[in-house]
Amino acid sequence: MTEFMQNIYVFLWAVLAVLTFAVGIKQKTPYAFVISVFFVFMTVWYALDTFAGYEMFENTAGVIFKIVLAVFLAAFVIIYVLSKKKS
C-alpha cells in the first residue's frame, strides 16, 4: 500500500468515528457508540502504523489486532440483537 493511501485510511477512520458518534448522540442508538469506539481504535492503529513507523500488522501486533476486531464484532452483534429485541 502506498504512503498516500495509508494517510487516507487514517483520516477515513477518524471521519467515520466522528460521524458515527454524532449519529449515536442524535439517534440515541447504543450500537452507534460501539461502532464509534471501533473507528477510534482503527484510527489509532493505522496512525501508529503510518506516522510512528511501528509494524502494527505484523507478528504479535497483528494477532492482537485480529483479536480486538473479533471482540468488537461480537460486541456489536450482541448490542444490535438486544436493541432489536427491545423494539
Side-chain angles (χ1 to χ4, degrees):
M1 183 174 353
T2 64
E3 186 176 333
F4 175 74
M5 285 304 295
Q6 287 178 338
N7 293 340
I8 293 297
Y9 276 127
V10 172
F11 294 115
L12 171 73
W13 292 125
V15 167
L16 287 172
V18 170
L19 287 175
T20 55
F21 187 73
V23 167
I25 289 174
K26 186 175 181 181
Q27 296 182 355
K28 295 183 173 95
T29 54
Y31 51 86
F33 293 114
V34 174
I35 295 288
S36 181
V37 170
F38 170 73
F39 288 144
V40 168
F41 166 76
M42 293 295 284
T43 302
V44 170
W45 201 267
Y46 272 84
L48 286 172
D49 186 55
T50 301
F51 301 126
Y54 296 119
E55 295 295 330
M56 298 304 290
F57 298 103
E58 305 292 327
N59 303 327
T60 306
V63 172
I64 292 170
F65 178 73
K66 291 173 187 170
I67 290 170
V68 171
L69 287 182
V71 168
F72 271 114
L73 177 64
F76 174 70
V77 168
I78 290 168
I79 290 172
Y80 182 76
V81 168
L82 291 176
S83 70
K84 286 297 178 183
K85 280 188 178 182
K86 258 187 202 177
S87 62

